[in-house]
Amino acid sequence: MNAISEMTDLALLEQVEAKQALQQLNAKFSRAMDRMDRCLMVSLWTDDGQIDWGAHKGSAKPFVIAATATDANLERSFHSVSTEYFEVDGDAAIGEVSVIIVSIVLENGSKIDRLVGGRYLDRYRKEGGQWRIAQRTFVHDWNINLPSSANLEEGMFAKFLKGRRDKQDPSYQLFGE
Amino acid sequence: MDISQRIRRAADYQAILEQMARYIQAVDRCDLELLKYTFHADGVVHFGIFDGNAHEFCDFDIPFIKENLSMGAHRFSTATIEFQSDTRAVAESYMLGNAAAPSPDGTMLNFPDNIRYLDVWEKRDGIWRMYSRGLVVDWNAFWPYSQREDAPFDEFRRGSRSSQDPAYALRVGR
C-alpha cells in the first residue's frame, strides 16, 4: 500500500472513485440477487468470472443463471452488505465484504426464516471503465433457522408496499429497467 | 468530467451516504429537528401508513414511534446511488431494524424487520436532502422478547431515544 503522502492528487482521486464504484458494485449484486435481475447480474461479472459459492465452483455463468432463476422454495431474500473493505491497485482490486442474508424458504412444506451471516472474498477488475467481479468466494460464518413469523399483510402491515423478486418490485419505478 | 467535477461527484456521493446515516440517527434518537434536516421542506414520503409532505410526516412519525415502540434501532446498508445530474440522484438503501413493542395481549415482542428506502435526492443551496422517500417492506419477524437488564448488561452505557443519548455529548463544543 502506498502512503497517502506519496500519491499524486489524481492517484488519490482515482482511489476514492474506485472504492466508491466497488461499493456500488456490491450493492448492485444485492439488487440482482434480491430482484432476480439477470441482466443486471450478468453486467457485474468479467467474462471469465470465477465463483466459489456452495455447490457452484468454477465459471460464474451457471451461478448467474441459477441465482436469477425462479425458485419456488425461496419466497423472499434480502442481501444486506456492509463493512466493505477494498484494496485497489490500478485496474485490479481485492475486497472483503460482510453480508447478512435474510430469506424466507420453504422446507418440507413449512416456511422458515433463514438468516445467514458471511463474507464475500473478491477479486475485481476494471474493464472498459467498469469495475466487475473477477472472482468471488462466499464464506459462510453463521446461520439461524426459525419458523417464519412474518406479518406482511395483516393490520398496519397491509398498508406498506412489499418487495418482490421480479421487475414488479417498486424499485424499478425509480431506476427503470 | 474534469478533475474538479470528479472531486465534487465523490464528495456528493459521500454527502448522500451521510444524510442517509443522519436519517437513521434521527429516527433512533427521536430527533425531530434532525429528521426534518434530511428532507427538503416540499419533500414527500410514500410510506403506506403516511403518504404526503415529508415534514408533516416527521411531525407524525416521532410521536408515533415514541408511543408504539419501546425500543427501536435501525442500521442502513447496501445503498445504490445513481446520479441523474450534478444536483439530482436516485437511490435505494437496505435497512435492518430491531424494535420491541407490546402485542395486543400485553406481552412484549421483539420485532426485527428488513425494509428498503427508495429515494430521490436533490442538492439545493449546496445541501443534499431528500425530495422523495418511499418504503418497501421485505421481511419481519415476531420473536419472544428476551432482553435482560441485569449483569453484565447493566454495566454498559445505554442509548437513549432523546438528546440525553451519549452521541449528543460527542458533538458538544465542536
PDB file of all heavy atoms in Angstrom, chain B residues 55-88:
ATOM      1  N   HIS B  55     -42.146  16.877   5.854  1.00  0.00           N
ATOM      2  CA  HIS B  55     -42.022  17.494   7.179  1.00  0.00           C
ATOM      3  C   HIS B  55     -43.248  17.198   8.046  1.00  0.00           C
ATOM      4  O   HIS B  55     -43.123  17.015   9.257  1.00  0.00           O
ATOM      5  CB  HIS B  55     -41.760  19.000   7.046  1.00  0.00           C
ATOM      6  CG  HIS B  55     -40.335  19.314   6.687  1.00  0.00           C
ATOM      7  ND1 HIS B  55     -39.752  20.532   6.890  1.00  0.00           N
ATOM      8  CD2 HIS B  55     -39.365  18.539   6.153  1.00  0.00           C
ATOM      9  CE1 HIS B  55     -38.490  20.508   6.484  1.00  0.00           C
ATOM     10  NE2 HIS B  55     -38.233  19.304   6.021  1.00  0.00           N
ATOM     11  N   GLU B  56     -44.419  17.096   7.398  1.00  0.00           N
ATOM     12  CA  GLU B  56     -45.609  16.680   8.161  1.00  0.00           C
ATOM     13  C   GLU B  56     -45.456  15.232   8.610  1.00  0.00           C
ATOM     14  O   GLU B  56     -45.880  14.862   9.718  1.00  0.00           O
ATOM     15  CB  GLU B  56     -46.871  16.846   7.315  1.00  0.00           C
ATOM     16  CG  GLU B  56     -47.256  18.312   7.118  1.00  0.00           C
ATOM     17  CD  GLU B  56     -48.394  18.482   6.119  1.00  0.00           C
ATOM     18  OE1 GLU B  56     -49.143  17.510   5.862  1.00  0.00           O
ATOM     19  OE2 GLU B  56     -48.521  19.604   5.583  1.00  0.00           O
ATOM     20  N   PHE B  57     -44.826  14.400   7.749  1.00  0.00           N
ATOM     21  CA  PHE B  57     -44.537  13.016   8.163  1.00  0.00           C
ATOM     22  C   PHE B  57     -43.645  13.006   9.404  1.00  0.00           C
ATOM     23  O   PHE B  57     -43.882  12.238  10.340  1.00  0.00           O
ATOM     24  CB  PHE B  57     -43.849  12.235   7.037  1.00  0.00           C
ATOM     25  CG  PHE B  57     -43.132  11.010   7.519  1.00  0.00           C
ATOM     26  CD1 PHE B  57     -43.840   9.875   7.903  1.00  0.00           C
ATOM     27  CD2 PHE B  57     -41.745  10.992   7.654  1.00  0.00           C
ATOM     28  CE1 PHE B  57     -43.185   8.756   8.396  1.00  0.00           C
ATOM     29  CE2 PHE B  57     -41.079   9.878   8.146  1.00  0.00           C
ATOM     30  CZ  PHE B  57     -41.804   8.760   8.512  1.00  0.00           C
ATOM     31  N   CYS B  58     -42.612  13.848   9.425  1.00  0.00           N
ATOM     32  CA  CYS B  58     -41.700  13.883  10.573  1.00  0.00           C
ATOM     33  C   CYS B  58     -42.482  14.218  11.845  1.00  0.00           C
ATOM     34  O   CYS B  58     -42.290  13.583  12.890  1.00  0.00           O
ATOM     35  CB  CYS B  58     -40.595  14.911  10.362  1.00  0.00           C
ATOM     36  SG  CYS B  58     -39.532  14.568   8.942  1.00  0.00           S
ATOM     37  N   ASP B  59     -43.381  15.216  11.737  1.00  0.00           N
ATOM     38  CA  ASP B  59     -44.201  15.605  12.895  1.00  0.00           C
ATOM     39  C   ASP B  59     -45.082  14.444  13.367  1.00  0.00           C
ATOM     40  O   ASP B  59     -45.352  14.306  14.554  1.00  0.00           O
ATOM     41  CB  ASP B  59     -45.097  16.803  12.543  1.00  0.00           C
ATOM     42  CG  ASP B  59     -44.294  18.091  12.421  1.00  0.00           C
ATOM     43  OD1 ASP B  59     -43.315  18.253  13.171  1.00  0.00           O
ATOM     44  OD2 ASP B  59     -44.657  18.934  11.566  1.00  0.00           O
ATOM     45  N   PHE B  60     -45.532  13.618  12.413  1.00  0.00           N
ATOM     46  CA  PHE B  60     -46.367  12.462  12.744  1.00  0.00           C
ATOM     47  C   PHE B  60     -45.530  11.314  13.304  1.00  0.00           C
ATOM     48  O   PHE B  60     -45.903  10.650  14.272  1.00  0.00           O
ATOM     49  CB  PHE B  60     -47.106  11.995  11.475  1.00  0.00           C
ATOM     50  CG  PHE B  60     -47.540  10.547  11.491  1.00  0.00           C
ATOM     51  CD1 PHE B  60     -48.703  10.142  12.140  1.00  0.00           C
ATOM     52  CD2 PHE B  60     -46.764   9.560  10.851  1.00  0.00           C
ATOM     53  CE1 PHE B  60     -49.086   8.813  12.162  1.00  0.00           C
ATOM     54  CE2 PHE B  60     -47.145   8.224  10.876  1.00  0.00           C
ATOM     55  CZ  PHE B  60     -48.314   7.853  11.531  1.00  0.00           C
ATOM     56  N   ASP B  61     -44.356  11.068  12.688  1.00  0.00           N
ATOM     57  CA  ASP B  61     -43.616   9.830  12.939  1.00  0.00           C
ATOM     58  C   ASP B  61     -42.960   9.793  14.315  1.00  0.00           C
ATOM     59  O   ASP B  61     -42.997   8.745  14.979  1.00  0.00           O
ATOM     60  CB  ASP B  61     -42.540   9.636  11.859  1.00  0.00           C
ATOM     61  CG  ASP B  61     -41.892   8.265  11.940  1.00  0.00           C
ATOM     62  OD1 ASP B  61     -42.645   7.271  11.916  1.00  0.00           O
ATOM     63  OD2 ASP B  61     -40.660   8.181  12.036  1.00  0.00           O
ATOM     64  N   ILE B  62     -42.358  10.887  14.734  1.00  0.00           N
ATOM     65  CA  ILE B  62     -41.618  10.845  16.003  1.00  0.00           C
ATOM     66  C   ILE B  62     -42.550  10.516  17.181  1.00  0.00           C
ATOM     67  O   ILE B  62     -42.266   9.589  17.946  1.00  0.00           O
ATOM     68  CB  ILE B  62     -40.816  12.151  16.218  1.00  0.00           C
ATOM     69  CG1 ILE B  62     -39.737  12.305  15.139  1.00  0.00           C
ATOM     70  CG2 ILE B  62     -40.219  12.202  17.620  1.00  0.00           C
ATOM     71  CD1 ILE B  62     -38.651  11.236  15.159  1.00  0.00           C
ATOM     72  N   PRO B  63     -43.691  11.218  17.331  1.00  0.00           N
ATOM     73  CA  PRO B  63     -44.608  10.799  18.412  1.00  0.00           C
ATOM     74  C   PRO B  63     -45.131   9.377  18.217  1.00  0.00           C
ATOM     75  O   PRO B  63     -45.304   8.638  19.192  1.00  0.00           O
ATOM     76  CB  PRO B  63     -45.760  11.816  18.323  1.00  0.00           C
ATOM     77  CG  PRO B  63     -45.231  12.952  17.531  1.00  0.00           C
ATOM     78  CD  PRO B  63     -44.178  12.406  16.626  1.00  0.00           C
ATOM     79  N   PHE B  64     -45.342   8.971  16.939  1.00  0.00           N
ATOM     80  CA  PHE B  64     -45.883   7.635  16.648  1.00  0.00           C
ATOM     81  C   PHE B  64     -44.934   6.546  17.144  1.00  0.00           C
ATOM     82  O   PHE B  64     -45.350   5.596  17.814  1.00  0.00           O
ATOM     83  CB  PHE B  64     -46.116   7.492  15.140  1.00  0.00           C
ATOM     84  CG  PHE B  64     -46.609   6.131  14.718  1.00  0.00           C
ATOM     85  CD1 PHE B  64     -47.952   5.797  14.807  1.00  0.00           C
ATOM     86  CD2 PHE B  64     -45.720   5.174  14.215  1.00  0.00           C
ATOM     87  CE1 PHE B  64     -48.409   4.544  14.422  1.00  0.00           C
ATOM     88  CE2 PHE B  64     -46.169   3.914  13.831  1.00  0.00           C
ATOM     89  CZ  PHE B  64     -47.518   3.603  13.931  1.00  0.00           C
ATOM     90  N   ILE B  65     -43.646   6.667  16.833  1.00  0.00           N
ATOM     91  CA  ILE B  65     -42.717   5.605  17.245  1.00  0.00           C
ATOM     92  C   ILE B  65     -42.449   5.672  18.747  1.00  0.00           C
ATOM     93  O   ILE B  65     -42.258   4.645  19.389  1.00  0.00           O
ATOM     94  CB  ILE B  65     -41.395   5.614  16.435  1.00  0.00           C
ATOM     95  CG1 ILE B  65     -40.647   6.923  16.553  1.00  0.00           C
ATOM     96  CG2 ILE B  65     -41.650   5.267  14.984  1.00  0.00           C
ATOM     97  CD1 ILE B  65     -39.306   6.919  15.834  1.00  0.00           C
ATOM     98  N   LYS B  66     -42.468   6.894  19.322  1.00  0.00           N
ATOM     99  CA  LYS B  66     -42.297   7.000  20.777  1.00  0.00           C
ATOM    100  C   LYS B  66     -43.432   6.281  21.505  1.00  0.00           C
ATOM    101  O   LYS B  66     -43.218   5.622  22.509  1.00  0.00           O
ATOM    102  CB  LYS B  66     -42.289   8.473  21.198  1.00  0.00           C
ATOM    103  CG  LYS B  66     -40.910   9.108  21.249  1.00  0.00           C
ATOM    104  CD  LYS B  66     -41.037  10.513  21.813  1.00  0.00           C
ATOM    105  CE  LYS B  66     -39.691  11.186  21.942  1.00  0.00           C
ATOM    106  NZ  LYS B  66     -39.833  12.622  22.250  1.00  0.00           N
ATOM    107  N   GLU B  67     -44.643   6.411  20.940  1.00  0.00           N
ATOM    108  CA  GLU B  67     -45.810   5.839  21.617  1.00  0.00           C
ATOM    109  C   GLU B  67     -45.907   4.338  21.396  1.00  0.00           C
ATOM    110  O   GLU B  67     -46.310   3.602  22.293  1.00  0.00           O
ATOM    111  CB  GLU B  67     -47.082   6.528  21.094  1.00  0.00           C
ATOM    112  CG  GLU B  67     -48.332   6.174  21.882  1.00  0.00           C
ATOM    113  CD  GLU B  67     -49.553   6.915  21.339  1.00  0.00           C
ATOM    114  OE1 GLU B  67     -49.400   8.101  20.977  1.00  0.00           O
ATOM    115  OE2 GLU B  67     -50.620   6.293  21.273  1.00  0.00           O
ATOM    116  N   ASN B  68     -45.520   3.868  20.189  1.00  0.00           N
ATOM    117  CA  ASN B  68     -45.799   2.471  19.833  1.00  0.00           C
ATOM    118  C   ASN B  68     -44.622   1.512  19.997  1.00  0.00           C
ATOM    119  O   ASN B  68     -44.826   0.305  20.054  1.00  0.00           O
ATOM    120  CB  ASN B  68     -46.313   2.399  18.398  1.00  0.00           C
ATOM    121  CG  ASN B  68     -47.709   2.968  18.268  1.00  0.00           C
ATOM    122  OD1 ASN B  68     -48.668   2.364  18.724  1.00  0.00           O
ATOM    123  ND2 ASN B  68     -47.801   4.154  17.691  1.00  0.00           N
ATOM    124  N   LEU B  69     -43.421   2.024  20.049  1.00  0.00           N
ATOM    125  CA  LEU B  69     -42.257   1.149  20.192  1.00  0.00           C
ATOM    126  C   LEU B  69     -41.569   1.452  21.516  1.00  0.00           C
ATOM    127  O   LEU B  69     -41.349   2.616  21.844  1.00  0.00           O
ATOM    128  CB  LEU B  69     -41.247   1.376  19.057  1.00  0.00           C
ATOM    129  CG  LEU B  69     -41.752   1.205  17.630  1.00  0.00           C
ATOM    130  CD1 LEU B  69     -40.634   1.540  16.651  1.00  0.00           C
ATOM    131  CD2 LEU B  69     -42.247  -0.209  17.398  1.00  0.00           C
ATOM    132  N   SER B  70     -41.222   0.400  22.256  1.00  0.00           N
ATOM    133  CA  SER B  70     -40.486   0.640  23.492  1.00  0.00           C
ATOM    134  C   SER B  70     -38.992   0.745  23.209  1.00  0.00           C
ATOM    135  O   SER B  70     -38.225   1.216  24.033  1.00  0.00           O
ATOM    136  CB  SER B  70     -40.748  -0.476  24.499  1.00  0.00           C
ATOM    137  OG  SER B  70     -40.265  -1.701  23.994  1.00  0.00           O
ATOM    138  N   MET B  71     -38.573   0.288  22.032  1.00  0.00           N
ATOM    139  CA  MET B  71     -37.174   0.360  21.630  1.00  0.00           C
ATOM    140  C   MET B  71     -37.134   0.324  20.111  1.00  0.00           C
ATOM    141  O   MET B  71     -37.958  -0.358  19.490  1.00  0.00           O
ATOM    142  CB  MET B  71     -36.407  -0.841  22.217  1.00  0.00           C
ATOM    143  CG  MET B  71     -34.931  -0.920  21.892  1.00  0.00           C
ATOM    144  SD  MET B  71     -34.589  -1.767  20.335  1.00  0.00           S
ATOM    145  CE  MET B  71     -34.920  -3.474  20.798  1.00  0.00           C
ATOM    146  N   GLY B  72     -36.207   1.045  19.510  1.00  0.00           N
ATOM    147  CA  GLY B  72     -36.057   0.983  18.063  1.00  0.00           C
ATOM    148  C   GLY B  72     -34.620   1.277  17.681  1.00  0.00           C
ATOM    149  O   GLY B  72     -34.035   2.249  18.162  1.00  0.00           O
ATOM    150  N   ALA B  73     -34.045   0.418  16.859  1.00  0.00           N
ATOM    151  CA  ALA B  73     -32.665   0.632  16.403  1.00  0.00           C
ATOM    152  C   ALA B  73     -32.585   0.225  14.942  1.00  0.00           C
ATOM    153  O   ALA B  73     -32.978  -0.881  14.578  1.00  0.00           O
ATOM    154  CB  ALA B  73     -31.684  -0.176  17.240  1.00  0.00           C
ATOM    155  N   HIS B  74     -32.096   1.127  14.114  1.00  0.00           N
ATOM    156  CA  HIS B  74     -32.016   0.895  12.680  1.00  0.00           C
ATOM    157  C   HIS B  74     -30.559   0.867  12.232  1.00  0.00           C
ATOM    158  O   HIS B  74     -29.690   1.426  12.880  1.00  0.00           O
ATOM    159  CB  HIS B  74     -32.740   1.999  11.919  1.00  0.00           C
ATOM    160  CG  HIS B  74     -34.212   2.081  12.188  1.00  0.00           C
ATOM    161  ND1 HIS B  74     -34.724   2.498  13.397  1.00  0.00           N
ATOM    162  CD2 HIS B  74     -35.277   1.803  11.400  1.00  0.00           C
ATOM    163  CE1 HIS B  74     -36.048   2.472  13.339  1.00  0.00           C
ATOM    164  NE2 HIS B  74     -36.406   2.051  12.139  1.00  0.00           N
ATOM    165  N   ARG B  75     -30.333   0.220  11.084  1.00  0.00           N
ATOM    166  CA  ARG B  75     -28.978   0.109  10.528  1.00  0.00           C
ATOM    167  C   ARG B  75     -29.144   0.060   9.020  1.00  0.00           C
ATOM    168  O   ARG B  75     -29.789  -0.850   8.516  1.00  0.00           O
ATOM    169  CB  ARG B  75     -28.355  -1.184  11.046  1.00  0.00           C
ATOM    170  CG  ARG B  75     -27.108  -1.669  10.346  1.00  0.00           C
ATOM    171  CD  ARG B  75     -26.834  -3.096  10.828  1.00  0.00           C
ATOM    172  NE  ARG B  75     -25.742  -3.716  10.127  1.00  0.00           N
ATOM    173  CZ  ARG B  75     -25.830  -4.303   8.937  1.00  0.00           C
ATOM    174  NH1 ARG B  75     -26.970  -4.331   8.283  1.00  0.00           N
ATOM    175  NH2 ARG B  75     -24.768  -4.867   8.392  1.00  0.00           N
ATOM    176  N   PHE B  76     -28.599   1.054   8.315  1.00  0.00           N
ATOM    177  CA  PHE B  76     -28.772   1.029   6.863  1.00  0.00           C
ATOM    178  C   PHE B  76     -27.498   0.531   6.190  1.00  0.00           C
ATOM    179  O   PHE B  76     -26.409   0.599   6.756  1.00  0.00           O
ATOM    180  CB  PHE B  76     -29.213   2.398   6.313  1.00  0.00           C
ATOM    181  CG  PHE B  76     -28.075   3.293   5.890  1.00  0.00           C
ATOM    182  CD1 PHE B  76     -27.673   3.343   4.556  1.00  0.00           C
ATOM    183  CD2 PHE B  76     -27.410   4.071   6.809  1.00  0.00           C
ATOM    184  CE1 PHE B  76     -26.629   4.163   4.154  1.00  0.00           C
ATOM    185  CE2 PHE B  76     -26.357   4.890   6.421  1.00  0.00           C
ATOM    186  CZ  PHE B  76     -25.964   4.933   5.097  1.00  0.00           C
ATOM    187  N   SER B  77     -27.661   0.006   4.989  1.00  0.00           N
ATOM    188  CA  SER B  77     -26.521  -0.540   4.240  1.00  0.00           C
ATOM    189  C   SER B  77     -26.924  -0.631   2.772  1.00  0.00           C
ATOM    190  O   SER B  77     -28.037  -0.281   2.399  1.00  0.00           O
ATOM    191  CB  SER B  77     -26.149  -1.931   4.758  1.00  0.00           C
ATOM    192  OG  SER B  77     -27.103  -2.880   4.310  1.00  0.00           O
ATOM    193  N   THR B  78     -25.990  -1.128   1.950  1.00  0.00           N
ATOM    194  CA  THR B  78     -26.331  -1.578   0.601  1.00  0.00           C
ATOM    195  C   THR B  78     -27.015  -0.465  -0.203  1.00  0.00           C
ATOM    196  O   THR B  78     -28.055  -0.673  -0.805  1.00  0.00           O
ATOM    197  CB  THR B  78     -27.228  -2.846   0.666  1.00  0.00           C
ATOM    198  OG1 THR B  78     -26.816  -3.669   1.749  1.00  0.00           O
ATOM    199  CG2 THR B  78     -27.155  -3.635  -0.637  1.00  0.00           C
ATOM    200  N   ALA B  79     -26.425   0.716  -0.177  1.00  0.00           N
ATOM    201  CA  ALA B  79     -27.005   1.844  -0.909  1.00  0.00           C
ATOM    202  C   ALA B  79     -26.567   1.813  -2.367  1.00  0.00           C
ATOM    203  O   ALA B  79     -25.375   1.760  -2.657  1.00  0.00           O
ATOM    204  CB  ALA B  79     -26.587   3.161  -0.269  1.00  0.00           C
ATOM    205  N   THR B  80     -27.535   1.817  -3.264  1.00  0.00           N
ATOM    206  CA  THR B  80     -27.275   2.026  -4.693  1.00  0.00           C
ATOM    207  C   THR B  80     -27.628   3.481  -4.995  1.00  0.00           C
ATOM    208  O   THR B  80     -28.761   3.891  -4.759  1.00  0.00           O
ATOM    209  CB  THR B  80     -28.143   1.099  -5.558  1.00  0.00           C
ATOM    210  OG1 THR B  80     -27.868  -0.254  -5.215  1.00  0.00           O
ATOM    211  CG2 THR B  80     -27.861   1.305  -7.046  1.00  0.00           C
ATOM    212  N   ILE B  81     -26.658   4.247  -5.472  1.00  0.00           N
ATOM    213  CA  ILE B  81     -26.884   5.674  -5.732  1.00  0.00           C
ATOM    214  C   ILE B  81     -26.570   5.956  -7.195  1.00  0.00           C
ATOM    215  O   ILE B  81     -25.463   5.668  -7.655  1.00  0.00           O
ATOM    216  CB  ILE B  81     -25.987   6.549  -4.823  1.00  0.00           C
ATOM    217  CG1 ILE B  81     -26.281   6.264  -3.354  1.00  0.00           C
ATOM    218  CG2 ILE B  81     -26.182   8.038  -5.150  1.00  0.00           C
ATOM    219  CD1 ILE B  81     -25.314   6.935  -2.376  1.00  0.00           C
ATOM    220  N   GLU B  82     -27.550   6.468  -7.930  1.00  0.00           N
ATOM    221  CA  GLU B  82     -27.331   6.805  -9.349  1.00  0.00           C
ATOM    222  C   GLU B  82     -27.575   8.291  -9.543  1.00  0.00           C
ATOM    223  O   GLU B  82     -28.686   8.783  -9.304  1.00  0.00           O
ATOM    224  CB  GLU B  82     -28.267   5.985 -10.244  1.00  0.00           C
ATOM    225  CG  GLU B  82     -27.894   4.516 -10.276  1.00  0.00           C
ATOM    226  CD  GLU B  82     -28.692   3.719 -11.308  1.00  0.00           C
ATOM    227  OE1 GLU B  82     -29.560   4.288 -12.002  1.00  0.00           O
ATOM    228  OE2 GLU B  82     -28.428   2.494 -11.392  1.00  0.00           O
ATOM    229  N   PHE B  83     -26.534   9.006  -9.990  1.00  0.00           N
ATOM    230  CA  PHE B  83     -26.670  10.436 -10.234  1.00  0.00           C
ATOM    231  C   PHE B  83     -27.341  10.665 -11.587  1.00  0.00           C
ATOM    232  O   PHE B  83     -26.944  10.076 -12.593  1.00  0.00           O
ATOM    233  CB  PHE B  83     -25.294  11.116 -10.218  1.00  0.00           C
ATOM    234  CG  PHE B  83     -24.734  11.217  -8.824  1.00  0.00           C
ATOM    235  CD1 PHE B  83     -23.909  10.226  -8.310  1.00  0.00           C
ATOM    236  CD2 PHE B  83     -25.059  12.308  -8.024  1.00  0.00           C
ATOM    237  CE1 PHE B  83     -23.418  10.312  -7.018  1.00  0.00           C
ATOM    238  CE2 PHE B  83     -24.566  12.400  -6.729  1.00  0.00           C
ATOM    239  CZ  PHE B  83     -23.738  11.403  -6.224  1.00  0.00           C
ATOM    240  N   GLN B  84     -28.354  11.520 -11.583  1.00  0.00           N
ATOM    241  CA  GLN B  84     -29.022  11.895 -12.836  1.00  0.00           C
ATOM    242  C   GLN B  84     -28.502  13.234 -13.337  1.00  0.00           C
ATOM    243  O   GLN B  84     -28.647  13.562 -14.506  1.00  0.00           O
ATOM    244  CB  GLN B  84     -30.533  11.934 -12.617  1.00  0.00           C
ATOM    245  CG  GLN B  84     -31.096  10.558 -12.264  1.00  0.00           C
ATOM    246  CD  GLN B  84     -32.605  10.559 -12.074  1.00  0.00           C
ATOM    247  OE1 GLN B  84     -33.175  11.537 -11.616  1.00  0.00           O
ATOM    248  NE2 GLN B  84     -33.239   9.444 -12.404  1.00  0.00           N
ATOM    249  N   SER B  85     -27.918  14.017 -12.439  1.00  0.00           N
ATOM    250  CA  SER B  85     -27.274  15.279 -12.796  1.00  0.00           C
ATOM    251  C   SER B  85     -26.380  15.651 -11.614  1.00  0.00           C
ATOM    252  O   SER B  85     -26.252  14.884 -10.662  1.00  0.00           O
ATOM    253  CB  SER B  85     -28.316  16.380 -13.048  1.00  0.00           C
ATOM    254  OG  SER B  85     -28.889  16.800 -11.821  1.00  0.00           O
ATOM    255  N   ASP B  86     -25.782  16.845 -11.656  1.00  0.00           N
ATOM    256  CA  ASP B  86     -24.944  17.275 -10.534  1.00  0.00           C
ATOM    257  C   ASP B  86     -25.770  17.614  -9.301  1.00  0.00           C
ATOM    258  O   ASP B  86     -25.231  17.788  -8.211  1.00  0.00           O
ATOM    259  CB  ASP B  86     -24.113  18.511 -10.931  1.00  0.00           C
ATOM    260  CG  ASP B  86     -23.016  18.156 -11.923  1.00  0.00           C
ATOM    261  OD1 ASP B  86     -22.660  16.952 -12.009  1.00  0.00           O
ATOM    262  OD2 ASP B  86     -22.527  19.063 -12.612  1.00  0.00           O
ATOM    263  N   THR B  87     -27.097  17.716  -9.456  1.00  0.00           N
ATOM    264  CA  THR B  87     -27.934  18.135  -8.329  1.00  0.00           C
ATOM    265  C   THR B  87     -29.082  17.173  -8.053  1.00  0.00           C
ATOM    266  O   THR B  87     -29.951  17.471  -7.235  1.00  0.00           O
ATOM    267  CB  THR B  87     -28.533  19.541  -8.587  1.00  0.00           C
ATOM    268  OG1 THR B  87     -29.233  19.515  -9.830  1.00  0.00           O
ATOM    269  CG2 THR B  87     -27.445  20.603  -8.632  1.00  0.00           C
ATOM    270  N   ARG B  88     -29.083  16.021  -8.718  1.00  0.00           N
ATOM    271  CA  ARG B  88     -30.185  15.073  -8.512  1.00  0.00           C
ATOM    272  C   ARG B  88     -29.670  13.639  -8.596  1.00  0.00           C
ATOM    273  O   ARG B  88     -28.868  13.309  -9.474  1.00  0.00           O
ATOM    274  CB  ARG B  88     -31.271  15.309  -9.571  1.00  0.00           C
ATOM    275  CG  ARG B  88     -32.582  14.579  -9.300  1.00  0.00           C
ATOM    276  CD  ARG B  88     -33.580  14.950 -10.405  1.00  0.00           C
ATOM    277  NE  ARG B  88     -34.782  14.137 -10.342  1.00  0.00           N
ATOM    278  CZ  ARG B  88     -35.901  14.512  -9.702  1.00  0.00           C
ATOM    279  NH1 ARG B  88     -35.972  15.665  -9.102  1.00  0.00           N
ATOM    280  NH2 ARG B  88     -36.942  13.708  -9.685  1.00  0.00           N
TER     281      ARG B  88
END
